Amino acid sequence: MRRLRPRTALRPLSARNARFSFPGRSPRSRRSPRSPRSPLLVLPVFAVLASLALLAGCAGVEGLQSEGRARDVDAPLVLWPEYSPAPPGRDENPVALVPVPNVPRIPSGTMADANPLAVLDADIAAQGRTPPAPKAVRRPELHDITRDGKANLIMAVDLDPRTSELRVYSVRRTVVTRVLVLRGVLAGVDLAAGHLVIREPTKDPRYVSVTDYVWDGHSMSLWNLTLDDARTPQTPRAGGGSP
């Protein structure tokens, strides 16, 4: 048979109430004892500590590992810093605005009303060179590069089996004006969102150099220079462009 412990005698109710009562306050209004901290608040702390312990345990296997002393990095050595090239002259500036002599003015302001071959021949003759044979001239293209709603003329001349020359013409105050001339190996010429993109091969056949020109309101401005993957030859498409 279980032995029952004698209960401690209870004090009178009045004595217990007197211990916690305050003047002018009912015994019921006393504050309840402070409850212990809720386990729900402690759980996130244990979860964080467990995660840190798990990460610390993995650091030796999959974490950062020392590969020894880092190698020294030297600053570039500039050779002949006192020499620099002279700025390009007007004839060497590819984006210089050059009026084409000996061609009629165009009151309409669009190169669609010009004779493409006559403009090209007059421009090249003004530079003291012989105009190219017609078979060396690619099909003329008309596109609005200057974003004024008027067509510009894009011409390309193949100087030899590898080298070509690209020329772009616009009408500036009724005068036919060359706005761009480039000579190089044209791996591709693109138009995208008003930008004229020139692709040229590099010494690595996997990549091409991409030069991006855009009209800035006054002249053709160099927008960007990048490298891109070389393209495979495309099937020729018929038809010239339109503004």
Side-chain angles (χ1 to χ4, degrees), residues 129 132 135-138 156-166 182-187 199-201:
R129 295 164 47 193
K135 65 179 181 180
V137 181
R138 300 186 189 182
V157 181
D158 295 323
L159 304 177
D160 56 50
R162 181 169 176 81
T163 309
S164 302
E165 197 171 66
L166 181 73
L182 295 171
R183 178 180 292 193
V185 181
L186 301 182
R199 297 175 176 269
E200 298 181 81

Side-chain angles (χ1 to χ4, degrees), residues 94-204:
V95 297
L97 302 184
V98 180
V100 179
N102 304 320
V103 293
R105 289 177 175 264
I106 303 179
S108 64
T110 172
M111 288 300 298
D113 295 336
N115 183 330
L117 289 178
V119 170
L120 179 66
D121 290 349
D123 187 23
I124 293 178
Q127 294 180 303
R129 295 164 47 193
T130 303
K135 65 179 181 180
V137 181
R138 300 186 189 182
R139 179 183 64 251
E141 293 281 348
L142 292 171
H143 296 276
D144 181 13
I145 299 177
T146 54
R147 301 182 181 183
D148 58 358
K150 305 295 180 64
N152 305 116
L153 175 63
I154 306 173
M155 303 286 290
V157 181
D158 295 323
L159 304 177
D160 56 50
R162 181 169 176 81
T163 309
S164 302
E165 197 171 66
L166 181 73
R167 293 173 181 258
V168 181
Y169 301 95
S170 178
V171 179
R172 304 282 96 192
R173 298 180 180 178
T174 72
V175 176
V176 176
T177 305
R178 187 210 319 141
V179 297
L180 180 66
V181 57
L182 295 171
R183 178 180 292 193
V185 181
L186 301 182
V189 180
D190 303 336
L191 289 173
H195 290 231
L196 181 64
V197 182
I198 314 298
R199 297 175 176 269
E200 298 181 81
T202 64
K203 293 184 178 180
D204 189 330

